[in-house]
């Protein structure tokens, strides 16, 4: 490992390649082994005398009126993709002149697919497996991590959200009575690092597929290339307004869409074939399969289009709440979809030759053009669900340290899950516009849509079954009653959708592969860096010996040293002292902790305690997601100084702190660079030396929430060879 030297007012590493590296991923130390007992005065930092149990430990309860309003808002954000599916399902069958029995069998397939997968699985089961109001594959994984003690592994450092016994925020993980099978499953998962690696790989894959589908969904909203590009750019530019404004704009359109489709469906049923409603009987599926098995299998790809967007309903959960999502689908979206599909089927029984344009052909002539306008607006709204879902799952990925840091803006002061990321938004916009222009809105792009969704659903089924067994401690029979039917049904759909891969279905897989490479590289790089820091971190004894040396000068003033390490002292401080031979009289090691609440009270924002060494303190900064601290303002420095004075054990220490406060204040931020050891293979060297380094340089700093004055800032560079 190379040392460090002072250059141009900053401290940079000898081999930091012109000082261009950027430490944007100082990692929270997850290990608890070999940590010295905290000094008595530090107990309040680690125990947090006051915690925010009310907003964090259980979901916030909303009045019925507000829940109803949220349910209305969810129509324009969550259900756009799902609600517009009647336009495409029958026209995607690529079959002509289906018999009445075949049409009834198709309607029965659509009805039971919506009922079993969307209504029962997502609305009544999966939605309960949320991580404090957040949904999606990463939320399922995070929920599992809170009840499993995942260890360090060669591939990834699992961001263990289980809190230690001395942390009063430990209510995140609630003890429960475990069955023997539950205990054995936990032990097997906790001790099998290969299975843990496979699990995180599956979770990352599912996350990438959702984002990939999010890039593809808007690209299919229109088949006129110029118009599509214009509408897409407007749609993505509108995202900065936030979920609330987007939903209030889009929800009336979607409500009008659902109501008009329901009424047109009723009209077609009454006019063309009232007996079509008997298709709710699964008997017609059995008849269809027994008489035309090959045709049924071919139709499954089209039938599956009726539920694309269901995964967004779960991923978008954080933007609203559980009851709002349940009410919106159960009482509005679900009945409107059933009536719309039934109306199309009734029309096709009389006009089977119109199946390639079933939706628009079934619209009564007097309302055709108004419905055409409404459907065009609804197609634009359909894109919103996956865009919002992408913001949510990136936020969850950031929380677990599996995605390069991007700016995440909370657009609501009431709902912490309503977020917007400018970087993700514009990346999705570029992908969508590129797909529309590249495929010119053709058949290949339509075939690509929804192919990866079934894989996300299968991953969700597996993770939910694990949650039921490990976290909910459900009876194994109930777990099997959930897992076996759904894995069979979704596997059958998956086999049918494989036919679309050569016809354009490879597109979302390609997008997912690129995203997966980014996430795996970032996760692997962070794991290597965290493992290194855990092995090389300083102990209190070592720090005390360095500060007691005659070669180290204690200059007047205060130095704030930022790190994400909670346990132990970061090795970069060792380099700083070794190469400068000086430390300010007062050195404060600052760790930032973001809580899942809007804001923290000023008196609880800074928790300070002495580390047991004269002039050395640890400060835990607790921030809410809407907090931003300007360290250049005297109020914040004064607040920390007050905490330092409170932690002083005697008058001499207080005078020393007062004296240091009159001198210069310096802020030190670490900048690290990883380099792969030459003994590593070429894949590892490529991942660390090029991909991870590129991501590290272009992602946001871990202390970006703190506005540190640049003229008072030193950057300490250190090269880690892993």
């Amino acid at each position: 490992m190379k040392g460090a030297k002072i250059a141009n007012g900053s401290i940079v590493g000898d081999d930091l390649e012109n000082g261009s590296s950027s430490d944007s991923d100082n990692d929270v130390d997850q290990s608890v082994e070999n940590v010295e007992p905290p000094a008595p005065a530090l107990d309040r930092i680690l125990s947090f005398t006051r915690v925010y149990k009310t907003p964090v430990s259980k979901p916030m309860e909303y009045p019925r009126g507000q829940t109803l309003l949220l349910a209305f808002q969810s129509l324009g954000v969550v259900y756009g993709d799902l609600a517009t599916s009647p336009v495409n399902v029958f026209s995607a069958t690529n079959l002509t002149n289906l018999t009445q029995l075949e049409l009834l069998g198709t309607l029965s397939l659509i009805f039971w697919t919506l009922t079993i997968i969307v209504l029962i699985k997502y609305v009544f089961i999966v939605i309960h497996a949320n991580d404090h109001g957040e949904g999606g594959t990463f939320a399922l994984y995070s929920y599992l991590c809170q009840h499993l003690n995942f260890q360090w592994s060669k591939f990834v450092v699992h961001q263990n959200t289980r809190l230690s016994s001395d942390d009063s925020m430990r209510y995140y993980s609630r003890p429960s009575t475990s069955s023997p099978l539950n205990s054995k499953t936990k032990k097997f998962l906790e001790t099998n690092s290969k299975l843990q690696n496979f699990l995180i790989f599956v979770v990352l894959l599912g996350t990438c597929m959702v984002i990939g589908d999010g890039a593809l969904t808007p690209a299919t909203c229109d088949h006129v290339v110029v118009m599509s590009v214009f509408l897409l750019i407007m749609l993505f530019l509108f995202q900065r307004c936030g979920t609330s404004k987007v939903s209030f704009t889009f929800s009336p359109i979607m409500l009008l869409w659902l109501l008009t489709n329901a009424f047109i469906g009723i009209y077609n049923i009454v006019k063309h074939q009232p007996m079509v409603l008997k298709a709710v009987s699964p008997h017609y599926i059995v008849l269809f399969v027994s008489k035309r098995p090959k045709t049924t299998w071919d139709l499954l790809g089209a039938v599956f289009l009726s539920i694309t967007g269901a995964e967004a309903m779960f991923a978008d959960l954080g933007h609203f709440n559980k009851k709002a999502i349940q009410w919106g689908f159960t009482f509005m979206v679900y009945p409107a979809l059933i009536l719309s599909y039934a109306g199309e089927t009734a029309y096709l029984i009389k006009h089977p030759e119109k199946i390639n344009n079933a939706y628009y052909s079934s619209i009564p002539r007097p309302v055709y053009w108004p419905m055409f306008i409404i459907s065009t607006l609804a197609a634009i709204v359909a894109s919103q669900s996956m865009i919002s879902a992408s913001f949510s799952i990136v936020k969850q990925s950031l929380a677990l340290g599996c995605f390069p840091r991007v700016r995440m803006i909370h657009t609501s002061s009431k709902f912490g899950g309503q977020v917007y990321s400018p970087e993700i938004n514009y990346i999705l916009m570029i992908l969508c516009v590129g797909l529309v222009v590249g495929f010119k809105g053709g058949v290949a792009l339509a075939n690509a849509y929804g192919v990866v969704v079934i894989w996300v659903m299968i991953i969700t089924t597996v993770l939910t079954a694990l949650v039921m067994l490990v976290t909910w401690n459900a009876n194994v029979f109930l777990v099997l009653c959930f897992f076996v039917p759904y894995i069979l049904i979704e596997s059958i759909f998956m086999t049918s959708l494989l036919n679309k891969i050569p016809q354009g279905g490879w597109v979302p897989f390609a997008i997912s592969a690129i995203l997966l490479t980014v996430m795996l590289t970032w996760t692997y790089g962070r794991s290597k860096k965290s493992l290194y820091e855990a092995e090389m971190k300083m102990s209190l004894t070592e720090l005390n010996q360095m500060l007691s040396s005659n070669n180290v000068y204690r200059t007047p003033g205060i130095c704030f040293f930022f790190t994400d390490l909670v346990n132990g002292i970061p090795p970069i401080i060792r380099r700083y002292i070794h190469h400068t031979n000086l430390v300010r009289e007062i050195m404060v090691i600052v760790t930032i902790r973001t809580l899942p609440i809007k804001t923290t009270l000023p008196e609880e924002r800074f928790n300070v305690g002495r580390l047991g060494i004269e002039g050395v303190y640890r400060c835990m900064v607790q921030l809410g997601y809407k907090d931003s601290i300007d360290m250049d303002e005297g109020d914040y420095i004064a607040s920390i100084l007050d905490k330092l004075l409170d932690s002083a054990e005697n008058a001499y220490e207080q005078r020393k702190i007062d004296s240091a406060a009159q001198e210069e204040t310096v802020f030190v931020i670490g900048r690290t660079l990883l380099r792969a050891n030459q003994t590593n293979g070429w894949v590892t060297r490529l991942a660390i030396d090029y991909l991870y380094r590129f991501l590290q340089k272009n992602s946001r700093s871990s202390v970006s929430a703190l506005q540190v004055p640049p003229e008072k800032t030193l950057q300490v560079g250190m090269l880690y060879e892993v």
Side-chain angles (χ1 to χ4, degrees), residues 310-618:
E311 75 290 344
M313 179 170 59
F314 183 44
D316 282 328
L317 180 61
H319 290 265
F320 301 96
N321 65 29
K322 184 169 61 179
K323 283 187 178 180
I325 299 293
Q326 291 174 323
W327 289 8
F329 182 79
T330 306
F331 300 113
M332 178 56 68
V333 180
Y334 179 70
L337 286 175
I338 298 302
L339 289 172
S340 181
Y341 285 119
E344 284 187 68
T345 305
Y347 175 83
L348 289 174
I349 289 175
K350 289 290 184 66
H351 308 280
E353 72 282 356
K354 300 287 188 178
I355 192 169
N356 290 328
N357 192 30
Y359 177 79
Y360 290 105
S361 298
S362 65
I363 298 175
R365 295 302 97 186
V367 296
Y368 178 85
W369 286 110
M371 282 303 300
F372 181 83
I373 295 173
I374 294 173
S375 68
T376 302
L377 294 173
I380 300 171
V381 176
S383 309
Q384 184 61 46
S385 61
M386 296 309 301
I387 296 173
S388 298
S390 297
F391 296 154
S392 293
I393 61 178
V394 168
K395 173 195 170 188
Q396 296 160 19
S397 303
L398 289 172
L400 288 177
C402 296
F403 199 90
R405 284 191 177 94
V406 294
R407 188 182 182 193
M408 194 59 64
I409 301 172
H410 290 262
T411 59
S412 171
S413 59
K414 295 181 179 179
F415 308 105
Q418 295 188 3
V419 294
Y420 161 72
S421 172
E423 294 95 331
I424 299 301
N425 186 57
Y426 294 127
I427 289 172
L428 286 175
M429 183 180 73
I430 292 170
L431 284 173
C432 290
V433 171
L435 288 170
V436 170
V437 174
F439 285 90
K440 302 186 185 304
V443 176
L445 189 57
N447 286 334
Y449 177 55
V451 174
V452 297
V453 175
I454 189 61
W455 295 91
V456 179
M457 290 185 173
I458 291 174
I459 292 171
T460 300
T461 297
V462 173
L463 292 176
T464 303
L466 277 177
V467 166
M468 294 172 70
L469 185 61
V470 172
T471 304
W472 295 349
N473 198 27
N475 184 280
V476 65
F477 177 75
L478 294 177
V479 176
L480 291 175
C481 285
F482 168 81
F483 179 75
V484 175
Y486 280 109
I487 206 70
L488 286 175
I489 292 170
E490 289 162 357
S491 296
I492 292 171
F493 274 111
M494 182 264 293
T495 60
S496 178
L497 287 166
L498 289 176
N499 286 336
K500 288 190 173 184
I501 293 179
Q503 305 167 15
W506 58 269
V507 175
F509 283 101
I511 297 173
S512 301
I514 295 172
L515 292 171
L516 184 62
T517 301
V518 170
M519 295 184 75
L520 286 176
T521 301
W522 180 260
T523 307
Y524 179 71
R526 290 187 73 254
S527 72
K528 302 300 288 186
K529 179 176 179 293
S530 295
L531 286 168
Y532 180 90
E533 289 191 335
E535 294 172 354
M536 301 299 293
K537 64 188 177 185
M538 299 180 68
S539 64
L540 292 178
T541 302
E542 181 187 359
L543 179 60
N544 192 28
Q545 290 176 348
M546 292 192 74
L547 296 180
S548 302
S549 172
N550 294 329
N551 296 326
V552 176
Y553 301 95
R554 304 297 294 270
T555 58
I558 301 176
C559 172
F560 291 95
F561 214 113
F562 293 98
T563 177
D564 277 354
L565 283 172
V566 175
N567 299 311
I569 301 169
I572 210 163
I573 291 182
R574 182 189 297 116
R575 282 295 166 197
Y576 174 74
I577 298 175
H578 178 72
H579 288 278
T580 61
N581 292 324
L582 60 87
V583 177
R584 300 283 173 170
E585 285 183 322
I586 303 297
M587 182 172 74
V588 184
I589 302 173
V590 181
T591 300
I592 303 167
R593 185 177 192 177
T594 302
L595 303 177
I597 57 176
K598 176 187 174 183
T599 187
T600 56
L601 298 177
E603 64 270 20
E604 296 163 347
R605 193 162 290 164
F606 305 101
N607 297 274
V608 179
R610 184 177 174 181
L611 273 177
I613 304 174
E614 182 180 345
V616 181
Y617 301 84
R618 170 81 78 172

Side-chain angles (χ1 to χ4, degrees), residues 71-85:
F72 167 73
Q73 288 182 273
S74 71
L75 297 178
V77 173
V78 178
Y79 299 111
D81 190 10
L82 192 63
T84 55
S85 58

